[in-house]
Amino acid sequence: MRVDLTEFHDELRSVARGLLGDARARADGAELPTPIDWALLAESGWVGLEVPESLGGSGGSFAEQAVILHELGRTVTMSSYLGSAVLGVGALALLEPSPGRDELLRRVTAGDLRVAVAVETGDDGVGGDPAPFRLDRAGGGLRLDGRAAFVPDATGVELLVLARDPESAFVVVHVALDASGLHIAEQPVLDATRSLGEVLADGIEVSDSSIWRFRSDPGTSAQRLVDRGALAIACDSLGLAEAMVEATVSYTAERRQFERPIGSFQAVKHACADMLVKVLVSRELIDAAVQAVAGGDADASTAVSMAKSYACDAAVDVVGKALQLHGGIGYTWESGIHAYLKRAMLNRSLFGAPAAHRRRLAGRYGAGPLASSQA
Amino acid sequence: MRVDLTEFHDELRSVARGLLGDARARADGAELPTPIDWALLAESGWVGLEVPESLGGSGGSFAEQAVILHELGRTVTMSSYLGSAVLGVGALALLEPSPGRDELLRRVTAGDLRVAVAVETGDDGVGGDPAPFRLDRAGGGLRLDGRAAFVPDATGVELLVLARDPESAFVVVHVALDASGLHIAEQPVLDATRSLGEVLADGIEVSDSSIWRFRSDPGTSAQRLVDRGALAIACDSLGLAEAMVEATVSYTAERRQFERPIGSFQAVKHACADMLVKVLVSRELIDAAVQAVAGGDADASTAVSMAKSYACDAAVDVVGKALQLHGGIGYTWESGIHAYLKRAMLNRSLFGAPAAHRRRLAGRYGAGPLASSQA
Amino acid sequence: MATSDLEEFRAEARRWCQAHIPADWRQTQVGVSDEEDVSFQKAWFQELRKAGYAVPHWPREWGGGMSVAEQIVLYQELAAHDAPRLVLAFVSIHHAASTLLAAGTEEQRRRHLPAILDGEIWVQGFSEPEAGSDLASLRTTARREGDAFVVNGQKLWASGAAHADWCLLLARTDVTAPKRKGISYLLMDMRSPGVDVRPIRNASGEWHFCEIFLNDVVIPASQLVGPENEGWRVAQETLSAERGMTMLELSERLGNAGFRWLVEECSRARPDGLRLLDDALVQDGLAALETEIAGLRLLCRGLVERHEAGTAGPVEASVVKLFYSELLQRMMDFGTEVVGLAAQTSLHKPGSSGWESGAWALDFIGSWEWTIPGGASEIQRTIIAERGLGMPREPEVAR
Amino acid sequence: MATSDLEEFRAEARRWCQAHIPADWRQTQVGVSDEEDVSFQKAWFQELRKAGYAVPHWPREWGGGMSVAEQIVLYQELAAHDAPRLVLAFVSIHHAASTLLAAGTEEQRRRHLPAILDGEIWVQGFSEPEAGSDLASLRTTARREGDAFVVNGQKLWASGAAHADWCLLLARTDVTAPKRKGISYLLMDMRSPGVDVRPIRNASGEWHFCEIFLNDVVIPASQLVGPENEGWRVAQETLSAERGMTMLELSERLGNAGFRWLVEECSRARPDGLRLLDDALVQDGLAALETEIAGLRLLCRGLVERHEAGTAGPVEASVVKLFYSELLQRMMDFGTEVVGLAAQTSLHKPGSSGWESGAWALDFIGSWEWTIPGGASEIQRTIIAERGLGMPREPEVAR
């Protein structure tokens, strides 16, 4: 039986909602989305939620990050939380302690710097190979090669890459930003609230001290890292969808056509009911996956694939329906719904399309009786 | 440009609707569906619609059969029209004239006897091998082996089978009902308005005179035969769906709940509008496929696969929604909607599931630019 | 209850299931007569009763007393081991019992609760031909005459009425009141003179639904439940009270036997050596269904736990009913479609099965038994929107 | 027209397309400035005009005169060869022209039809902020003052108003009449004092929609179309008149360039050597879309032919609009999903494209421009049910 953190999460959520709502209100009217002040997030303790207390964090689990991610989605906040906290802190926490790793973790937690992790964020990362880079012996040392596209928050920060060493084991490599052969470029996408980049390593010379190993089984750890990304995106999509249900209910109660609030029409009501059902089912699947990831369950990947595929599909549908029910107003830039739709679309594709996650689920069917998930 | 037969078709439809409606009314209340009197169909000239005038038919095309099939679907009439007219007459008409073939065609047209054709009615018949039987040389003569399941109207009638001869060319074999090695068994299915059977040939000795060859290219002819079956089923499903839209509109106008006719609720209206749209799209696709098959167009299979996959899928949805909107009454045996649902379900699977037809369509995508269907 | 105790209980329930569930019951129950079906159901009920598994949700004093956590485990294990369902006793142990416990007199409870354990069968007499989803517009009347009510009218969709000893009856005791007022809740002995039961055949060809014709049926006033004219409120409260755990049972069944069969069906080698499971489309469909079922099971579990904690929202039960019924329908449709012609040859489903029996086409038809009654899906959506989301009600109709 | 003549015309149109459609226009029109876009559109219009292809649907005396059969062929060929779309002149050659032809005076026609051929641009001023899908509840007023109307109010969603010379304006001339009465149809010079146009940005980031503020704008009474207070009827008739052929054009485009790109996109080898087309799920989705597009094209063709024959049903145009718009949305959603992350990197679509441009994610967003305006999908379904199926209307709301 797990410790009941409901109250703590409620409090965290309420603080986050207030803070992000204020930030959102200040940013409203800006032509382009403005990233939220990173120092604010760090000071609030949100970056170090999973960092041991000894390194300045609060020693929590992914469950607390999930609360923050949900709120970032609700407000389509632009931040490097995905890159630095979910993947960066997440990767560092999975590694064996070492002076370099500890120092980096401490500084990220304190908000002094940010970090990105170049992993496979496409369909190949789902059950395929999550490491876009490889280390090969060359001369006396090691050289790093590979390319990762669509790396969250990759520009202007410290860089870690997930690689396979010459023995094909997964390791994390800390790459110096001035390394010869490293190319990092912003990759613009339709969703202006996310920053993605391309990382290219073309024969970078790597020293032993910058190759960091996982504490537990490297394969499992590498998969966990990518699963964290997928689940983080699902939490974000749930937040987006939830906000859109609320906005639609509220808009259709006010907006009158044909001498009545449009929310009193059955077609509108039934559409909102369907949106709500999708949000509620998403929430259950995500809560279960968050528990599984936070608890390090062996079948966490299954729960993640269910949550990611369902919630990210559902969010596109829900936001699309919200746009439809807002009518012409919803189609204006000013209403801001476009930002939700674009983020929901990107979320659907990032860290594995729904079909890729369902393929991973289906891979279990051939192999004997299915484990019945009881929990 | 094709001859405009609209008026002739309208008249045929109107006669068929009257006749089948009367027959349906007489059969109402019977515990089990009663097959419609075969003599009546033959006398009405419906069996010989495609038979040359010289053999007692009216020298028309599949377009006239399509009118009858649509009406048989509307009234969920039990008949052996699919086996005897669509496939039987259809197969005979594709064959080289010969005394045996001519005599059989004349007698089927006159209503003296019925005929079934054992072809592949499952997914394998769609772009795969439509012939479930093969002829092999054995001793001095030929022997027939094979098995066909779900053969329409196979019991108690003359039997033709589609086979490959020793050179692998498609032929039609007229099998004597008392032949040693022939086993025909009724295959009960949930839809009690259809009679399907299993035909097993276990080393039947076959004489040269009972092996009949196609007039045109055997491969094309064999495919046409199976395509006729698929399209006939689509016409039937369109009839079913159309009748269910009408029944639902009429029921929901009468039935009152919450102090108003339930048809005045938006949820009911919008569902009916969606049902109508599906019926209208089905109709267009079927009309186009009927023209292509009747005209012997080279790409008729493409039109058939579109019509079959869309209309048979749509019919299950439409009938299911009709059942839902009829509420509890719709779920009673007495309302008769169950007969529509069961027939729509069987139709969806018979002569190729929607996915099998879509697979055939997709087979064209790899092979260079798509022909744009104009005309 | 500590986790270790719960795990011990799970092991115990599992051992019981392994020892007591007849391995071949699905085979033996295909095409059985009505009498055989009833006797199998009654015997299975007594088997469960002996283990203390028949009415786990009742208060301890009446023969139950299992915690919610234990009940969840029990239904998970019964589903995992594909136990026969309690179809015949369903209304007796759920609606009848919860009504008596919540609103009945001590005398009514003493008269009926032990009898239910001994096999007394109940039927629900709520629906009427003209009412449909507008349940409150019922027309059956109960006229007060001295110490009794005299009932006239007609009930419909009374599932299992042909085998019932008693009926939960809603009838109008004040015909002048607005439609949700003036209804009373009565317990009616099905052997009373003037009660005429006629089975009606449903779309699957089965006869479990009945019409009940009521012609001057006399019901003693002592068989009134709750105050006169307050029957609607009583019915609403007891209807929703039980939904959580029965939905949990159904969702566990769908997720265990139901989905397992579908995967097994798709894993079987066809004559050509291929399996449906080798088709990427089938794989994708299965994974989508498994995901939705997982969501359903979590929803049900949450509903039960929040109901127990008193924190369940006003429409959680509607959400579960809507999602379950449409998922069931979609899944059976999928099974029917992928299994294809072979699915059309199963003409009977085993008695005592749940809503998924492996006869995909019949189960598809049966799924409308979920999307239509008990407030059709259309009504559930309106309830979710109005009570759950607070959306504006339909404006009053001008007269 | 005999089939052979039609085939000759097809060959001619095909040759013209091959000779005149710039092969690289999609590349050159990505990210162009507003001015470049307008000048490309105007030049392309004149190119078509020279061939007699700009206004084929107009009467011969005004510069058109093509038979319906020929128009169908023309739009098929333009679509097959992926011609730029006439976006800027759309309202001019369709709504404005058909309104003038159906309800305008001879003088109005002579003033405007030749001008349109020379490049006069029109905008539709029907929608208003408060009206939405309830178009008839418009509030802009036109007060009669001697030989003129004085107009005040605000229009919204006026596509291309920033470049328009003239406006088709609906305004209320009798504020006391019921909402569909008392509206008049006026031709407004966009250079009139008191007309203020402000572009608004849409969800795709484009600026083609405008607000038009009208402040004591004086419109001579000679610019009234049809009788005073009968503007609603005039608008309804001319709106539906043109829909068939423009829908046919759009459906041909969706079926040609649109679907072809999708197949090409799916046929491209990825870095790992695999193609999307090798995935059975993608194949199935493509075949389903191709089938629906085929249905749409046939529906459009039927609508045009039946419209010509005077036998079109009352809701055929609504069916086509509903089906097209939701199919477009589904198809763009599919494209966005299967193309995946790469689809998120197309930040601009080429000017002069149709609703499908190959920038899947942007086109998905753009598809709401079809499901929302001109009677949202919800309204179309109600129209189809009430006028097409004769279902009972919503009861009057009590006040």
Side-chain angles (χ1 to χ4, degrees):
Chain A
M1 190 164 252
R2 281 159 170 133
V3 183
D4 189 359
L5 293 166
T6 315
E7 258 182 64
F8 173 57
H9 291 169
D10 286 348
E11 200 184 307
L12 185 61
R13 180 177 301 113
S14 149
V15 171
R17 194 161 298 183
L19 197 145
L20 295 171
D22 290 350
R24 180 93 211 285
R26 277 195 304 278
D28 263 4
E31 177 68 7
L32 285 173
T34 352
I36 194 163
D37 183 16
W38 186 251
L40 186 68
L41 298 193
E43 279 160 30
S44 307
W46 299 350
V47 178
L49 283 170
E50 286 189 74
V51 176
E53 293 177 17
S54 60
L55 295 171
S58 50
S61 76
F62 189 82
E64 286 73 48
Q65 282 207 345
V67 172
I68 303 300
L69 286 161
H70 181 102
E71 297 303 317
L72 291 169
R74 276 184 66 95
T75 43
V76 288
T77 297
M78 183 173 189
S79 80
S80 38
Y81 199 76
L82 177 61
S84 257
V86 175
L87 297 170
V89 167
L92 291 168
L94 287 165
L95 298 173
E96 281 175 1
S98 71
R101 170 266 195 193
D102 293 357
E103 173 64 12
L104 193 54
L105 197 44
R106 195 190 310 273
R107 293 186 61 198
V108 170
T109 304
D112 295 347
L113 48 78
R114 282 173 293 164
V115 63
V117 188
V119 296
E120 174 61 54
T121 59
D123 292 356
D124 292 345
V126 187
D129 189 344
F133 299 90
R134 59 182 196 285
L135 285 170
D136 292 300
R137 280 183 231 288
L142 290 165
R143 44 177 282 169
L144 182 76
D145 285 281
R147 177 184 165 272
F150 304 102
V151 175
D153 309 306
T155 51
V157 300
E158 286 294 308
L159 182 68
L160 301 175
V161 308
L162 182 64
R164 281 174 180 275
D165 71 10
E167 283 71 45
S168 202
F170 292 102
V171 294
V172 168
V173 182
H174 184 197
V175 183
L177 292 178
D178 57 1
S180 158
L182 174 67
H183 306 275
I184 302 177
E186 184 77 19
Q187 167 61 66
V189 286
L190 210 50
D191 173 13
T193 67
R194 290 250 190 239
S195 160
L196 299 174
E198 188 185 15
V199 175
L200 181 71
D202 184 9
I204 300 175
E205 285 179 32
V206 170
S207 69
D208 276 352
S209 66
S210 57
I211 299 174
W212 296 344
R213 303 203 168 264
F214 288 105
R215 274 186 296 169
S216 321
D217 173 65
T220 310
S221 302
Q223 190 54 61
R224 275 197 191 157
L225 186 58
V226 181
D227 280 343
R228 287 175 66 89
L231 184 53
I233 291 293
C235 293
D236 191 84
S237 272
L238 173 60
L240 295 174
E242 191 185 273
M244 282 293 103
V245 174
E246 290 168 19
T248 306
V249 167
S250 141
Y251 177 79
T252 59
E254 295 302 320
R255 171 76 169 170
R256 294 178 70 87
Q257 289 205 286
F258 304 101
E259 283 78 58
R260 32 193 286 207
I262 62 173
S264 72
F265 283 104
Q266 240 185 7
V268 177
K269 275 186 216 177
H270 288 193
C272 287
D274 285 335
M275 290 158 73
L276 177 65
V277 170
K278 285 184 181 171
V279 165
L280 293 177
V281 175
S282 300
R283 185 183 300 162
E284 295 289 350
L285 289 169
I286 286 174
D287 284 353
V290 166
Q291 280 198 15
V293 164
D297 293 5
D299 61 351
S301 286
T302 296
V304 168
S305 278
M306 288 184 173
K308 171 69 170 76
S309 60
Y310 188 90
C312 291
D313 241 349
V316 173
D317 292 349
V318 167
V319 179
K321 201 72 197 175
L323 203 169
Q324 177 72 19
L325 296 178
H326 276 75
I329 296 298
Y331 194 66
T332 60
W333 185 270
E334 209 186 337
S335 77
I337 296 183
H338 71 94
Y340 283 82
L341 183 60
K342 290 168 190 163
R343 184 141 152 172
M345 284 197 293
L346 178 61
N347 280 359
R348 186 169 61 172
S349 295
L350 203 58
F351 283 103
H357 282 281
R358 288 193 292 264
R359 207 177 304 128
R360 176 160 76 172
L361 292 173
R364 297 146 54 237
Y365 301 151
L370 285 175
S372 166
S373 66
Q374 279 153 353
Chain B
M1 190 167 252
R2 282 158 171 137
V3 182
D4 189 359
L5 293 166
T6 314
E7 260 182 60
F8 173 58
H9 288 171
D10 286 349
E11 202 183 305
L12 186 61
R13 180 176 301 113
S14 150
V15 171
R17 193 161 299 184
L19 198 145
L20 295 172
D22 291 349
R24 180 95 212 285
R26 278 197 303 278
D28 262 6
E31 176 68 4
L32 286 172
T34 352
I36 194 163
D37 183 17
W38 186 251
L40 185 70
L41 298 193
E43 279 159 29
S44 307
W46 298 351
V47 178
L49 283 169
E50 284 189 76
V51 176
E53 293 177 16
S54 60
L55 294 172
S58 50
S61 76
F62 188 82
E64 285 74 47
Q65 283 208 344
V67 172
I68 303 300
L69 285 162
H70 181 100
E71 296 302 317
L72 291 169
R74 275 183 67 93
T75 44
V76 286
T77 298
M78 183 174 189
S79 81
S80 38
Y81 199 77
L82 177 60
S84 257
V86 175
L87 297 171
V89 167
L92 291 167
L94 286 166
L95 298 173
E96 283 176 359
S98 72
R101 170 266 193 191
D102 293 359
E103 174 62 13
L104 192 56
L105 196 44
R106 195 190 310 274
R107 294 185 62 197
V108 170
T109 303
D112 295 347
L113 48 78
R114 285 173 289 165
V115 63
V117 189
V119 295
E120 175 60 54
T121 59
D123 291 356
D124 291 345
V126 187
D129 190 343
F133 299 90
R134 61 184 195 283
L135 284 170
D136 292 301
R137 280 181 231 289
L142 290 165
R143 45 176 282 169
L144 182 76
D145 286 279
R147 175 184 166 274
F150 304 101
V151 176
D153 309 306
T155 52
V157 300
E158 287 292 309
L159 182 69
L160 302 173
V161 309
L162 182 65
R164 283 175 179 275
D165 72 9
E167 282 71 47
S168 201
F170 292 102
V171 294
V172 168
V173 183
H174 183 197
V175 182
L177 292 180
D178 57 1
S180 159
L182 175 66
H183 306 274
I184 303 179
E186 183 76 20
Q187 167 61 67
V189 287
L190 209 51
D191 173 13
T193 67
R194 291 248 190 239
S195 161
L196 299 174
E198 188 186 16
V199 175
L200 181 71
D202 184 9
I204 300 174
E205 286 179 30
V206 170
S207 70
D208 275 353
S209 66
S210 58
I211 299 175
W212 298 344
R213 301 201 169 264
F214 288 105
R215 277 186 294 169
S216 318
D217 173 65
T220 310
S221 302
Q223 189 56 60
R224 277 198 190 157
L225 187 58
V226 181
D227 279 344
R228 286 174 66 87
L231 184 53
I233 291 291
C235 293
D236 191 85
S237 272
L238 173 60
L240 295 173
E242 192 184 273
M244 283 293 103
V245 174
E246 291 169 18
T248 305
V249 168
S250 142
Y251 177 79
T252 57
E254 295 302 321
R255 172 76 169 171
R256 295 178 68 87
Q257 290 203 288
F258 304 100
E259 281 79 57
R260 34 193 285 206
I262 61 172
S264 71
F265 283 104
Q266 238 185 8
V268 177
K269 275 186 215 174
H270 289 194
C272 286
D274 286 335
M275 289 158 74
L276 178 66
V277 170
K278 285 186 180 171
V279 165
L280 294 176
V281 174
S282 299
R283 186 184 297 162
E284 294 290 350
L285 290 169
I286 286 174
D287 283 354
V290 167
Q291 279 198 18
V293 164
D297 293 6
D299 60 352
S301 286
T302 295
V304 167
S305 279
M306 286 184 175
K308 171 70 170 73
S309 59
Y310 187 90
C312 290
D313 241 351
V316 173
D317 292 349
V318 168
V319 179
K321 200 75 198 173
L323 203 168
Q324 176 72 20
L325 296 178
H326 275 75
I329 296 297
Y331 193 66
T332 61
W333 185 270
E334 210 185 336
S335 77
I337 296 181
H338 70 96
Y340 283 82
L341 183 59
K342 290 168 191 164
R343 185 141 152 173
M345 282 197 292
L346 178 61
N347 280 359
R348 184 170 61 175
S349 295
L350 203 58
F351 283 104
H357 283 280
R358 287 194 292 264
R359 207 177 304 130
R360 176 159 77 171
L361 292 172
R364 297 146 55 239
Y365 301 151
L370 286 174
S372 164
S373 66
Q374 283 152 349
Chain C
M1 180 177 268
T3 309
S4 61
D5 289 346
L6 207 55
E7 283 315 304
E8 199 165 300
F9 175 66
R10 185 184 296 282
E12 179 191 313
R14 190 168 290 171
R15 278 192 304 272
W16 187 90
C17 288
Q18 285 159 354
H20 291 83
I21 298 170
D24 61 346
W25 73 266
R26 288 194 171 268
Q27 286 76 54
T28 62
Q29 296 304 304
V30 173
V32 292
S33 71
D34 216 27
E35 292 74 43
E36 289 169 308
D37 185 40
V38 168
S39 86
F40 182 81
Q41 278 284 315
K42 293 205 168 188
W44 179 244
F45 181 81
Q46 291 308 325
E47 194 77 17
L48 286 165
R49 183 191 177 189
K50 267 183 271 171
Y53 294 169
V55 290
H57 55 299
W58 287 14
R60 185 169 301 278
E61 49 182 311
W62 295 106
M66 231 182 242
S67 71
V68 162
E70 284 172 315
Q71 290 175 53
I72 294 173
V73 166
L74 175 62
Y75 286 121
Q76 284 174 340
E77 291 304 318
L78 287 169
H81 295 86
D82 190 22
R85 266 201 86 210
L86 288 181
V87 180
L88 187 67
F90 188 79
V91 173
S92 317
I93 62 174
H94 292 297
H95 299 150
S98 68
T99 302
L100 292 171
L101 288 165
T105 63
E106 186 61 19
E107 201 190 321
Q108 288 168 344
R109 284 179 206 145
R110 263 198 295 238
R111 161 71 189 78
H112 292 295
L113 293 179
I116 287 173
L117 281 181
D118 289 339
E120 186 175 272
I121 300 301
W122 284 71
V123 63
Q124 201 185 68
F126 289 4
S127 300
E128 297 193 4
E130 293 302 312
S133 281
D134 186 9
L135 199 61
S137 70
L138 60 89
R139 296 181 182 184
T140 294
T141 57
R143 199 176 64 240
R144 186 74 182 240
E145 286 195 5
D147 258 8
F149 292 93
V150 179
V151 180
N152 281 283
Q154 185 185 347
K155 293 290 172 179
L156 194 60
W157 316 125
S159 183
H163 304 295
D165 305 300
W166 283 83
C167 175
L168 300 170
L169 188 79
L170 286 182
R172 196 164 291 286
T173 34
D174 181 354
V175 292
T176 62
K179 72 180 180 182
R180 282 161 198 232
K181 314 279 174 188
I183 292 173
S184 295
Y185 201 124
L186 296 160
L187 309 178
M188 179 178 77
D189 187 334
M190 289 294 282
R191 278 151 303 192
S192 310
V195 175
D196 181 16
V197 174
R198 298 185 206 160
I200 48 175
R201 201 172 182 190
N202 73 14
S204 313
E206 292 167 353
W207 295 91
H208 72 88
F209 282 125
C210 298
E211 289 178 291
I212 307 178
F213 294 88
L214 301 165
N215 190 10
D216 283 337
V217 179
V218 177
I219 300 179
S222 62
Q223 287 162 217
L224 176 69
V225 181
E228 196 168 329
N229 295 329
E230 296 276 333
W232 181 254
R233 195 182 44 75
V234 173
Q236 287 301 303
E237 282 168 13
T238 56
L239 269 178
S240 66
E242 280 304 315
R243 203 166 253 177
M245 196 57 80
T246 62
M247 292 310 303
L248 183 132
E249 187 204 340
L250 292 174
S251 75
E252 289 298 321
R253 284 182 174 273
L254 198 64
N256 278 282
F259 187 70
R260 218 160 49 201
W261 289 328
L262 189 53
V263 172
E264 278 168 21
E265 182 88 54
C266 294
S267 306
R268 206 164 292 151
R270 305 250 141 176
D272 60 3
L274 289 174
R275 305 172 309 163
L276 283 171
L277 199 53
D278 301 320
D279 181 344
L281 269 172
V282 172
Q283 287 182 17
D284 189 71
L286 286 174
L289 287 169
E290 190 192 12
T291 299
E292 290 188 277
I293 294 171
L296 171 73
R297 292 165 80 179
L298 291 161
L299 269 181
C300 286
R301 194 162 170 168
L303 169 60
V304 166
E305 288 171 352
R306 286 187 289 270
H307 186 77
E308 173 80 359
T311 58
V315 296
E316 286 197 36
S318 286
V319 168
V320 163
K321 197 255 187 187
L322 177 67
F323 189 65
Y324 169 75
S325 59
E326 298 197 340
L327 172 57
L328 177 73
Q329 196 158 82
R330 241 178 6 253
M331 178 167 158
M332 299 306 133
D333 189 10
F334 177 85
T336 304
E337 183 161 1
V338 299
V339 174
L341 289 166
Q344 301 297 321
T345 63
S346 299
L347 307 185
H348 302 284
K349 53 183 273 189
S352 303
S353 329
W355 296 98
E356 61 289 316
S357 72
W360 305 104
L362 273 172
D363 288 346
F364 182 37
I365 298 173
S367 69
W368 272 269
E369 218 164 304
W370 267 96
T371 54
I372 294 172
S377 300
E378 292 79 6
I379 307 285
Q380 301 300 341
R381 287 192 167 85
T382 299
I383 290 173
I384 292 167
E386 292 180 357
R387 294 190 218 156
L389 291 169
M391 295 181 76
R393 291 179 168 270
E394 198 87 14
E396 288 277 317
V397 172
R399 291 169 202 250
Chain D
M1 177 175 273
T3 309
S4 60
D5 288 348
L6 206 56
E7 283 314 304
E8 202 165 298
F9 174 67
R10 185 183 296 281
E12 181 190 311
R14 192 167 292 173
R15 279 192 304 274
W16 186 90
C17 287
Q18 285 158 354
H20 290 83
I21 297 169
D24 61 347
W25 73 266
R26 287 194 172 270
Q27 286 74 55
T28 61
Q29 296 305 303
V30 173
V32 292
S33 71
D34 216 28
E35 293 73 42
E36 289 169 307
D37 185 40
V38 167
S39 87
F40 181 81
Q41 277 283 314
K42 294 206 168 187
W44 179 242
F45 181 82
Q46 291 308 325
E47 195 76 17
L48 286 164
R49 183 191 176 187
K50 269 184 269 170
Y53 295 167
V55 291
H57 56 298
W58 286 16
R60 184 169 302 278
E61 50 184 308
W62 295 108
M66 231 182 244
S67 71
V68 163
E70 285 172 315
Q71 288 176 54
I72 294 174
V73 166
L74 175 63
Y75 286 120
Q76 285 174 339
E77 291 304 320
L78 287 170
H81 294 86
D82 189 23
R85 268 202 84 210
L86 288 181
V87 180
L88 187 67
F90 189 80
V91 173
S92 318
I93 62 174
H94 292 296
H95 299 148
S98 68
T99 301
L100 292 170
L101 288 163
T105 64
E106 186 61 18
E107 203 190 319
Q108 287 168 344
R109 286 178 205 146
R110 263 198 296 236
R111 163 68 190 78
H112 292 294
L113 292 179
I116 286 174
L117 281 181
D118 289 339
E120 185 175 274
I121 300 301
W122 285 70
V123 64
Q124 204 186 65
F126 288 5
S127 301
E128 298 192 1
E130 293 301 312
S133 280
D134 186 10
L135 200 59
S137 69
L138 60 87
R139 296 180 182 184
T140 293
T141 57
R143 197 175 65 240
R144 185 75 181 238
E145 286 196 3
D147 258 6
F149 293 92
V150 178
V151 181
N152 281 284
Q154 185 185 348
K155 294 289 173 182
L156 194 59
W157 316 124
S159 181
H163 306 294
D165 305 300
W166 283 82
C167 175
L168 301 171
L169 189 77
L170 287 182
R172 196 164 291 284
T173 35
D174 180 353
V175 293
T176 63
K179 71 181 180 181
R180 282 159 200 235
K181 314 278 175 189
I183 292 172
S184 294
Y185 200 125
L186 296 160
L187 308 178
M188 179 178 77
D189 187 334
M190 290 293 283
R191 277 150 305 193
S192 311
V195 176
D196 181 15
V197 174
R198 298 184 205 159
I200 48 177
R201 199 172 184 191
N202 72 15
S204 314
E206 291 167 352
W207 294 91
H208 71 89
F209 283 125
C210 298
E211 288 179 291
I212 308 178
F213 294 88
L214 302 166
N215 190 10
D216 283 336
V217 179
V218 177
I219 301 179
S222 62
Q223 286 162 216
L224 177 69
V225 180
E228 194 170 330
N229 295 331
E230 296 275 331
W232 181 254
R233 196 181 45 73
V234 172
Q236 287 301 303
E237 283 167 16
T238 55
L239 270 179
S240 65
E242 281 304 316
R243 203 167 256 176
M245 196 57 81
T246 60
M247 292 310 302
L248 184 132
E249 187 205 340
L250 292 175
S251 75
E252 290 299 321
R253 284 182 176 273
L254 197 63
N256 279 282
F259 186 71
R260 218 161 50 205
W261 288 329
L262 190 53
V263 172
E264 278 167 22
E265 181 89 53
C266 294
S267 307
R268 205 164 295 151
R270 306 250 140 176
D272 59 5
L274 288 175
R275 307 173 309 163
L276 282 172
L277 199 53
D278 300 321
D279 180 344
L281 271 171
V282 172
Q283 287 183 15
D284 189 72
L286 286 173
L289 288 169
E290 190 192 13
T291 300
E292 289 188 277
I293 294 170
L296 171 73
R297 291 165 80 180
L298 291 161
L299 269 182
C300 287
R301 190 160 175 173
L303 169 60
V304 166
E305 287 171 352
R306 286 187 289 272
H307 186 76
E308 173 79 357
T311 59
V315 296
E316 287 196 36
S318 286
V319 168
V320 163
K321 196 258 187 184
L322 176 67
F323 190 65
Y324 169 76
S325 58
E326 298 196 342
L327 173 56
L328 177 74
Q329 197 157 82
R330 244 182 358 258
M331 179 167 158
M332 298 307 134
D333 189 9
F334 178 86
T336 304
E337 183 162 1
V338 299
V339 174
L341 288 167
Q344 302 297 323
T345 62
S346 298
L347 307 185
H348 302 283
K349 54 184 273 187
S352 302
S353 323
W355 296 98
E356 61 289 316
S357 71
W360 305 105
L362 274 173
D363 288 347
F364 182 38
I365 299 173
S367 69
W368 272 270
E369 217 165 306
W370 267 97
T371 55
I372 294 172
S377 299
E378 292 79 7
I379 307 286
Q380 300 300 341
R381 288 194 167 84
T382 299
I383 290 173
I384 292 167
E386 292 181 359
R387 295 190 218 156
L389 291 169
M391 295 182 76
R393 289 179 170 271
E394 198 88 12
E396 288 276 317
V397 172
R399 287 166 204 258

